[in-house]
Amino acid sequence: MTILRIESLTYGVEEPEVGIRYFEDWGLETVERGSSGAVFRTQENQVVQVRAADDPALPPAPDQGSTLREAVWGVDDAAGLARIGAELAKDRDVRTGGDGALHARDETGFAIGFRIAERKPYAGPTPELNLVDAMPRLNRRVAADQRAAPIRIGHVVYSVPKEGWIEASDFYVRRLGFRLTDRSMDLGDFLRCEGGRDHHNLGLFHAPNAARIGHVAFEVKDFDEIMFGGTFMRNQGWKPVTHPGRRIVGSNLYWNFRNPCGGATEYFADMDRMDDNWQTRVWEKHPGGDLWALEGA
Ligand SMILES: [Fe+2]
């Protein structure tokens, strides 16, 4: 039972056309597009679906309005999928969809699903930095007017009620094999799935009486791509909800925008990577947001 990554995300949106335009501008590949819904994918073949909020086929969410309606996790193989189904069936409803995916709910009530991952490994360009005698970009200039092309979905962050947030996190650790990377008693938990190496694939941040989507993060190649992509988004009229910067916890470069489909989306690059040699850190007080940030950007 190894969960490898986020496989797909489904949003229910009150104004689907606005949500569709947002993800087009965000730089995802459009697979299908209609007036009431669309399907997008990352370069590593993770799916983002935008559907109408009143679509009866969508599972309800704990929060109202445009929001994330389901997060589906990608699993290594059929045996792993069956083990997850058997584990969750011990204490909750598990439904098998027509596509073989399993559907259930976590401790907070967020709809979660599981299916066999269909990863398309990234084979695109890597960052090119000229440094002293290293000159991977010899006789080539940095291209102007680049857009972001998200490689993969790295993490999803939810707000969960403060009361019971440890139990909400324990569910992912004890039942689904997630690892706890960092715990901030005054903020919440950063978890990574068993088959992942990112500092976090899942964030559970506590707030009084909150159960809602926080943000979804998309990895891009480098800081240039964050800035090109974010500048394009801003020029299209989408609103940043953070400055660009580099985080303390996770070390990632980032820039977040308000998503009309619910919560925010983040461009990120160069996040810390962990394996099972990493010792969980527990902070009484969160060490803060940024190593640095571009104020006024
Ligand atoms: Fe993030």
mmCIF file of all heavy atoms in Angstrom, residues 61-83:
data_model
loop_
_atom_site.group_PDB
_atom_site.id
_atom_site.type_symbol
_atom_site.label_atom_id
_atom_site.label_comp_id
_atom_site.label_asym_id
_atom_site.label_seq_id
_atom_site.Cartn_x
_atom_site.Cartn_y
_atom_site.Cartn_z
ATOM 1 N N ALA A 61 -18.862 18.840 -0.176
ATOM 2 C CA ALA A 61 -17.677 19.259 0.572
ATOM 3 C C ALA A 61 -18.126 19.875 1.892
ATOM 4 O O ALA A 61 -19.261 20.327 2.008
ATOM 5 C CB ALA A 61 -16.887 20.287 -0.237
ATOM 6 N N PRO A 62 -17.242 19.899 2.891
ATOM 7 C CA PRO A 62 -17.614 20.523 4.163
ATOM 8 C C PRO A 62 -17.832 22.025 4.039
ATOM 9 O O PRO A 62 -18.568 22.613 4.824
ATOM 10 C CB PRO A 62 -16.410 20.246 5.076
ATOM 11 C CG PRO A 62 -15.607 19.201 4.398
ATOM 12 C CD PRO A 62 -15.907 19.290 2.937
ATOM 13 N N ASP A 63 -17.186 22.658 3.047
ATOM 14 C CA ASP A 63 -17.342 24.107 2.895
ATOM 15 C C ASP A 63 -18.266 24.412 1.719
ATOM 16 O O ASP A 63 -18.475 23.590 0.835
ATOM 17 C CB ASP A 63 -15.987 24.796 2.733
ATOM 18 C CG ASP A 63 -15.105 24.133 1.687
ATOM 19 O OD1 ASP A 63 -15.338 22.950 1.369
ATOM 20 O OD2 ASP A 63 -14.200 24.794 1.179
ATOM 21 N N GLN A 64 -18.815 25.609 1.712
ATOM 22 C CA GLN A 64 -19.797 26.024 0.712
ATOM 23 C C GLN A 64 -19.110 26.761 -0.435
ATOM 24 O O GLN A 64 -17.958 27.148 -0.340
ATOM 25 C CB GLN A 64 -20.827 26.959 1.359
ATOM 26 C CG GLN A 64 -21.557 26.351 2.535
ATOM 27 C CD GLN A 64 -22.359 25.116 2.143
ATOM 28 O OE1 GLN A 64 -23.118 25.147 1.184
ATOM 29 N NE2 GLN A 64 -22.168 24.016 2.864
ATOM 30 N N GLY A 65 -19.889 26.950 -1.519
ATOM 31 C CA GLY A 65 -19.404 27.755 -2.643
ATOM 32 C C GLY A 65 -18.429 26.976 -3.496
ATOM 33 O O GLY A 65 -18.362 25.742 -3.437
ATOM 34 N N SER A 66 -17.663 27.699 -4.307
ATOM 35 C CA SER A 66 -16.677 27.068 -5.182
ATOM 36 C C SER A 66 -15.565 26.489 -4.318
ATOM 37 O O SER A 66 -14.963 27.196 -3.511
ATOM 38 C CB SER A 66 -16.097 28.105 -6.143
ATOM 39 O OG SER A 66 -17.111 28.646 -6.966
ATOM 40 N N THR A 67 -15.286 25.211 -4.498
ATOM 41 C CA THR A 67 -14.282 24.582 -3.641
ATOM 42 C C THR A 67 -13.803 23.263 -4.235
ATOM 43 O O THR A 67 -14.348 22.768 -5.223
ATOM 44 C CB THR A 67 -14.849 24.350 -2.218
ATOM 45 O OG1 THR A 67 -13.787 23.945 -1.346
ATOM 46 C CG2 THR A 67 -15.930 23.273 -2.220
ATOM 47 N N LEU A 68 -12.778 22.716 -3.620
ATOM 48 C CA LEU A 68 -12.293 21.391 -4.001
ATOM 49 C C LEU A 68 -13.294 20.347 -3.510
ATOM 50 O O LEU A 68 -13.635 20.318 -2.336
ATOM 51 C CB LEU A 68 -10.915 21.145 -3.368
ATOM 52 C CG LEU A 68 -10.247 19.821 -3.758
ATOM 53 C CD1 LEU A 68 -9.866 19.820 -5.227
ATOM 54 C CD2 LEU A 68 -9.008 19.574 -2.894
ATOM 55 N N ARG A 69 -13.740 19.482 -4.423
ATOM 56 C CA ARG A 69 -14.753 18.502 -4.039
ATOM 57 C C ARG A 69 -14.158 17.117 -3.811
ATOM 58 O O ARG A 69 -14.779 16.291 -3.148
ATOM 59 C CB ARG A 69 -15.860 18.469 -5.094
ATOM 60 C CG ARG A 69 -16.579 19.822 -5.232
ATOM 61 C CD ARG A 69 -17.469 20.128 -4.067
ATOM 62 N NE ARG A 69 -18.705 19.394 -4.156
ATOM 63 C CZ ARG A 69 -19.790 19.816 -4.792
ATOM 64 N NH1 ARG A 69 -19.805 20.993 -5.386
ATOM 65 N NH2 ARG A 69 -20.868 19.075 -4.826
ATOM 66 N N GLU A 70 -13.000 16.843 -4.398
ATOM 67 C CA GLU A 70 -12.360 15.554 -4.113
ATOM 68 C C GLU A 70 -10.882 15.620 -4.483
ATOM 69 O O GLU A 70 -10.509 16.207 -5.497
ATOM 70 C CB GLU A 70 -13.023 14.398 -4.874
ATOM 71 C CG GLU A 70 -12.456 13.041 -4.449
ATOM 72 C CD GLU A 70 -13.107 11.859 -5.158
ATOM 73 O OE1 GLU A 70 -13.256 11.910 -6.387
ATOM 74 O OE2 GLU A 70 -13.452 10.882 -4.471
ATOM 75 N N ALA A 71 -10.061 14.985 -3.647
ATOM 76 C CA ALA A 71 -8.639 14.766 -3.960
ATOM 77 C C ALA A 71 -8.425 13.263 -4.073
ATOM 78 O O ALA A 71 -8.749 12.518 -3.143
ATOM 79 C CB ALA A 71 -7.750 15.337 -2.862
ATOM 80 N N VAL A 72 -7.910 12.834 -5.206
ATOM 81 C CA VAL A 72 -7.649 11.408 -5.427
ATOM 82 C C VAL A 72 -6.144 11.184 -5.377
ATOM 83 O O VAL A 72 -5.379 11.891 -6.041
ATOM 84 C CB VAL A 72 -8.229 10.950 -6.785
ATOM 85 C CG1 VAL A 72 -7.825 9.510 -7.085
ATOM 86 C CG2 VAL A 72 -9.748 11.089 -6.784
ATOM 87 N N TRP A 73 -5.731 10.204 -4.569
ATOM 88 C CA TRP A 73 -4.315 9.877 -4.407
ATOM 89 C C TRP A 73 -3.943 8.709 -5.310
ATOM 90 O O TRP A 73 -4.722 7.760 -5.465
ATOM 91 C CB TRP A 73 -4.018 9.542 -2.943
ATOM 92 C CG TRP A 73 -4.232 10.724 -2.030
ATOM 93 C CD1 TRP A 73 -5.406 11.095 -1.410
ATOM 94 C CD2 TRP A 73 -3.266 11.724 -1.685
ATOM 95 N NE1 TRP A 73 -5.218 12.254 -0.689
ATOM 96 C CE2 TRP A 73 -3.917 12.665 -0.836
ATOM 97 C CE3 TRP A 73 -1.920 11.924 -1.991
ATOM 98 C CZ2 TRP A 73 -3.257 13.773 -0.307
ATOM 99 C CZ3 TRP A 73 -1.258 13.032 -1.455
ATOM 100 C CH2 TRP A 73 -1.927 13.942 -0.632
ATOM 101 N N GLY A 74 -2.770 8.772 -5.894
ATOM 102 C CA GLY A 74 -2.292 7.724 -6.789
ATOM 103 C C GLY A 74 -1.508 6.675 -6.015
ATOM 104 O O GLY A 74 -0.632 6.989 -5.206
ATOM 105 N N VAL A 75 -1.855 5.393 -6.250
ATOM 106 C CA VAL A 75 -1.297 4.269 -5.507
ATOM 107 C C VAL A 75 -0.451 3.425 -6.458
ATOM 108 O O VAL A 75 -0.666 3.435 -7.670
ATOM 109 C CB VAL A 75 -2.458 3.436 -4.910
ATOM 110 C CG1 VAL A 75 -1.954 2.274 -4.084
ATOM 111 C CG2 VAL A 75 -3.363 4.328 -4.072
ATOM 112 N N ASP A 76 0.498 2.665 -5.887
ATOM 113 C CA ASP A 76 1.450 1.927 -6.729
ATOM 114 C C ASP A 76 0.817 0.831 -7.578
ATOM 115 O O ASP A 76 1.122 0.692 -8.755
ATOM 116 C CB ASP A 76 2.601 1.362 -5.882
ATOM 117 C CG ASP A 76 2.122 0.523 -4.692
ATOM 118 O OD1 ASP A 76 0.909 0.506 -4.409
ATOM 119 O OD2 ASP A 76 2.980 -0.103 -4.039
ATOM 120 N N ASP A 77 -0.066 0.000 -6.998
ATOM 121 C CA ASP A 77 -0.592 -1.119 -7.782
ATOM 122 C C ASP A 77 -1.954 -1.575 -7.240
ATOM 123 O O ASP A 77 -2.455 -1.045 -6.243
ATOM 124 C CB ASP A 77 0.396 -2.292 -7.808
ATOM 125 C CG ASP A 77 0.753 -2.794 -6.415
ATOM 126 O OD1 ASP A 77 -0.028 -2.552 -5.459
ATOM 127 O OD2 ASP A 77 1.824 -3.419 -6.264
ATOM 128 N N ALA A 78 -2.525 -2.577 -7.910
ATOM 129 C CA ALA A 78 -3.872 -3.041 -7.564
ATOM 130 C C ALA A 78 -3.910 -3.623 -6.155
ATOM 131 O O ALA A 78 -4.893 -3.452 -5.425
ATOM 132 C CB ALA A 78 -4.339 -4.084 -8.582
ATOM 133 N N ALA A 79 -2.844 -4.306 -5.752
ATOM 134 C CA ALA A 79 -2.818 -4.881 -4.402
ATOM 135 C C ALA A 79 -2.823 -3.760 -3.361
ATOM 136 O O ALA A 79 -3.498 -3.848 -2.330
ATOM 137 C CB ALA A 79 -1.581 -5.774 -4.237
ATOM 138 N N GLY A 80 -2.073 -2.718 -3.628
ATOM 139 C CA GLY A 80 -2.049 -1.571 -2.724
ATOM 140 C C GLY A 80 -3.413 -0.911 -2.626
ATOM 141 O O GLY A 80 -3.870 -0.529 -1.544
ATOM 142 N N LEU A 81 -4.067 -0.791 -3.762
ATOM 143 C CA LEU A 81 -5.402 -0.188 -3.785
ATOM 144 C C LEU A 81 -6.379 -1.041 -2.962
ATOM 145 O O LEU A 81 -7.167 -0.516 -2.167
ATOM 146 C CB LEU A 81 -5.860 -0.080 -5.238
ATOM 147 C CG LEU A 81 -7.070 0.795 -5.528
ATOM 148 C CD1 LEU A 81 -6.824 2.243 -5.131
ATOM 149 C CD2 LEU A 81 -7.433 0.706 -7.008
ATOM 150 N N ALA A 82 -6.291 -2.349 -3.124
ATOM 151 C CA ALA A 82 -7.191 -3.252 -2.378
ATOM 152 C C ALA A 82 -6.917 -3.153 -0.884
ATOM 153 O O ALA A 82 -7.851 -3.180 -0.067
ATOM 154 C CB ALA A 82 -7.000 -4.687 -2.869
ATOM 155 N N ARG A 83 -5.657 -3.019 -0.509
ATOM 156 C CA ARG A 83 -5.342 -2.912 0.926
ATOM 157 C C ARG A 83 -5.894 -1.619 1.512
ATOM 158 O O ARG A 83 -6.385 -1.603 2.643
ATOM 159 C CB ARG A 83 -3.829 -3.019 1.158
ATOM 160 C CG ARG A 83 -3.313 -4.458 1.156
ATOM 161 C CD ARG A 83 -1.923 -4.561 1.774
ATOM 162 N NE ARG A 83 -0.907 -3.906 0.967
ATOM 163 C CZ ARG A 83 -0.298 -4.492 -0.070
ATOM 164 N NH1 ARG A 83 -0.605 -5.719 -0.435
ATOM 165 N NH2 ARG A 83 0.620 -3.841 -0.757
#
